[in-house]
Amino acid sequence: MPTSSTVITFGTFDVFHVGHLRVIERAAALGDRLVVGVSADALNVSKKGREPVFSQDERLAIVGALRWVDEVFVEESLELKRDYIVAHGARTLVMGDDWTGKFDEFEDICQVVYLPRTPAISTTAIVEKISTGS
Ligand code: C2G
């Protein structure tokens, strides 16, 4: 029997904010070890059609410095989730509930948990607020 349980989560974590912090804290509480896949800049360009504000190296450094995070890696492709879960020996996959149902296909290899998003905060809203000054 394994003695530790690894939790894995994924995200862009651009312009790191308290919603990101809360999901990471709650993910870490579901196991002994938390591994975080931080999406590659190239993945953001292909997925959202824009570069993140902070580069992949900066986002990895910020997330990796958090006390709840044991390991970070670059999420190169959305299609590789199964491989990442297996490679990291994750027992639990955690995502915010904006992803509800999207990762149920991995229930054959791990527990899949969707946590409620922190209301009223997002990278998009922060960028908008800074750029418009309101
Ligand atoms: N989140 C949250 N509350 C917010 C904003 C975000 O709980 N107010 C959560 C999201 O649900 C997600 C994590 O924070 O679980 C990271 O969010 P994003 O940086 O927006 O990442 P996203 O673009 O959803 O991830 O494989 C998934 C990809 O990497 C994309």
Side-chain angles (χ1 to χ4, degrees), residues 11-13 20 47-48 75 81 96 98-99 117-118 121:
T12 307
F13 303 107
H20 297 145
K47 188 180 62 172
K48 297 182 181 169
E75 179 189 24
K81 279 216 173 49
D98 44 326
W99 293 95
R117 274 173 71 93
T118 301
I121 187 159

Side-chain angles (χ1 to χ4, degrees), residues 8-63:
I8 195 166
T9 191
F10 297 87
T12 307
F13 303 107
D14 192 22
V15 188
F16 195 89
H17 59 65
V18 75
H20 297 145
L21 189 64
R22 297 291 175 242
V23 78
I24 283 173
E25 281 178 322
R26 287 176 291 159
L30 296 177
D32 302 320
R33 203 168 169 274
L34 178 63
V35 178
V36 182
V38 175
S39 61
D41 288 339
L43 176 54
N44 279 273
V45 172
S46 64
K47 188 180 62 172
K48 297 182 181 169
R50 64 172 172 82
E51 293 270 357
V53 175
F54 293 154
S55 73
Q56 146 186 336
D57 288 349
E58 292 167 329
R59 293 180 289 110
L60 278 162
I62 291 166
V63 174

Side-chain angles (χ1 to χ4, degrees), residues 118-133:
T118 301
I121 187 159
S122 70
T123 298
T124 307
I126 294 167
V127 170
E128 176 81 5
K129 189 169 180 178
I130 293 168
S131 61
T132 63

